[in-house]
């Protein structure tokens, strides 16, 4: 006779805490601002987008973020750090670690699925530059909207969302119950919100339209285990710049290097 069996516990899917961090101000942000101010058609940079480093201000922002976590303002420090392979994101994570934001020996895990949205033929163009050099693409974007428009050789927001869904499967498999920090880019943060909060196209674009995500701003989710099943992540903070404010470091909200960084 088979005795009573103990049913397995539901699989825990989500991290205990999930922080989404946009990288610190980059040299590309500075160059883009200069191009906009001058009315230029192209942004003057000699680097590939992936190689654009932090500006001196961006380094201070990342340091302020590390100090904030080191002093316990956000509770426990991260146990896992995942970062975009782009230099500005990796540098942000490294400076954060050096400033005490996490254990000094914590490995920064690079994941290519967290990379910046790819802009293809629009790479390096300002808004006037797109209208001048790629008028057809400017019109396609107007008709399709930034959520679905995919420039030749580039990505739409939907493409970014597709790879982030795969990333979250990896997080579920390896880091459930952990405190996880992701250091990436503005569109990545917005698209993660879209996935985690089950948003519509209109809802996420309304958040985007309301304003840029500040460099090194904190977006924080915490696991709510109420109810049955695997629980859910609940948004606690969005676009919070308190670490920079506390240290008197300027909080910048410029879009990324390409005008298409916001789509």
């Amino acid at each position: 006779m088979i005795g009573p069996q103990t049913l397995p516990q539901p699989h825990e899917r989500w991290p205990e805490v999930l922080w989404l961090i946009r990288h610190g101000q980059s040299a590309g942000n500075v160059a883009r601002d200069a191009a906009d101010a001058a009315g230029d058609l192209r942004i003057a940079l000699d680097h590939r987008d992936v190689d654009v480093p932090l500006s001196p201000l961006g380094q201070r922002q990342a340091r302020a973020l590390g100090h904030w976590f080191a002093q316990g303002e956000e509770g426990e420090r991260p146990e896992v750090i995942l970062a975009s392979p782009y230099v500005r994101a990796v540098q942000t994570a490294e400076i954060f670690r050096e400033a005490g934001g996490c254990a000094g020996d914590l490995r920064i895990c690079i994941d290519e699925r967290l990379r910046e949205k790819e802009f293809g033929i629009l790479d390096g163009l300002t808004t006037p530059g797109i209208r001048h050099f790629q008028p057809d693409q400017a019109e396609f974007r107007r008709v399709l909207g930034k959520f679905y428009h995919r420039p030749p050789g580039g990505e739409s927001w939907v493409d970014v969302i597709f790879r982030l869904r795969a990333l979250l499967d990896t997080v579920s498999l390896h880091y459930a119950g952990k405190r996880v920090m992701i250091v990436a880019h503005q569109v990545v943060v917005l698209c993660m919100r879209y996935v985690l909060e089950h948003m519509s196209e209109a809802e996420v674009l309304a958040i985007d339209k309301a304003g840029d995500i500040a460099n090194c701003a904190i977006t924080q989710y915490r696991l709510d285990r109420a109810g049955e099943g695997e629980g859910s992540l609940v948004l606690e903070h969005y676009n919070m710049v308190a670490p920079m404010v506390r240290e008197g470091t300027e909080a910048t909200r410029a879009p990324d290097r390409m005008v298409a960084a916001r789509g």
Side-chain angles (χ1 to χ4, degrees):
M1 180 176 179
I2 299 176
Q5 297 181 357
T6 302
L7 295 176
Q9 294 299 311
H11 170 63
E12 190 169 69
R13 177 181 183 187
W14 298 115
E16 180 70 29
V17 186
L18 177 64
W19 295 282
L20 306 177
I21 308 294
R22 185 188 175 196
H23 60 79
Q25 185 196 58
S26 70
N29 297 146
V30 176
R32 184 190 186 281
D33 288 345
D36 284 345
D40 293 338
L41 301 181
R42 295 186 182 276
I43 300 166
L45 273 177
D46 297 328
H47 305 288
R48 296 183 306 166
D49 189 31
V50 67
D51 297 324
V52 172
L54 292 178
S55 68
L57 174 56
Q59 295 175 27
R60 295 195 297 274
Q61 291 167 339
R63 196 167 295 112
L65 183 68
H67 291 161
W68 177 270
F69 275 79
Q71 295 179 24
E73 297 289 351
E74 280 304 308
E76 306 92 342
R77 299 184 298 172
E79 301 172 278
V80 177
I81 296 182
L82 305 175
S84 159
Y86 282 42
V87 168
R88 55 188 179 270
V90 175
Q91 287 182 335
T92 298
E94 290 174 342
I95 293 171
F96 171 86
R97 181 176 60 188
E98 292 167 5
C102 62
D105 61 351
L106 183 64
R107 179 185 177 189
I108 297 168
C109 302
I110 306 302
D111 196 305
E112 295 75 16
R113 291 170 294 185
L114 290 170
R115 69 188 185 275
E116 176 61 286
K117 175 182 177 292
E118 296 183 355
F119 310 109
I121 200 170
L122 304 182
D123 191 358
L125 299 180
T126 62
T127 299
I130 292 177
R131 290 196 295 262
H132 178 79
F133 294 112
Q134 298 292 335
D136 288 347
Q137 291 304 313
E139 178 62 12
F140 289 152
R141 184 180 184 277
R142 186 192 68 78
V143 172
L144 294 173
K146 66 167 64 179
F147 197 72
Y148 289 104
H149 175 241
R150 179 191 294 130
E155 293 180 297
S156 66
W157 278 39
V158 173
D159 294 321
V160 176
I161 289 165
F162 184 74
R163 51 178 159 93
L164 291 179
R165 290 191 187 279
L167 174 95
L168 286 172
D169 286 341
T170 300
V171 170
S172 171
L173 180 64
H174 295 291
Y175 307 124
K178 300 286 188 180
R179 300 185 300 274
V180 178
M181 175 175 284
I182 290 175
V183 183
H185 309 271
Q186 176 162 270
V187 171
V188 170
V189 174
L190 289 167
C191 289
M192 287 287 279
R193 285 202 63 184
Y194 172 88
V195 175
L196 293 172
E197 299 175 46
H198 310 287
M199 291 184 180
S200 66
E201 174 190 359
E203 288 170 332
V204 72
L205 291 183
I207 294 171
D208 174 59
K209 186 177 181 180
D212 293 309
I213 297 173
N215 296 108
C216 281
I218 297 169
T219 295
Q220 175 179 306
Y221 292 87
R222 190 172 297 274
L223 179 62
D224 180 6
R225 291 188 173 88
E228 299 181 356
E230 57 198 19
S232 60
L233 288 174
V234 176
L235 182 69
E236 291 190 327
H237 300 296
Y238 173 61
N239 207 8
M240 188 177 73
V241 297
M244 281 72 75
V245 171
R246 189 178 66 181
E247 294 205 3
T249 301
E250 182 184 354
T252 51
R253 299 178 182 270
D256 271 343
R257 182 167 77 88
M258 273 66 68
V259 66
R262 290 181 61 194

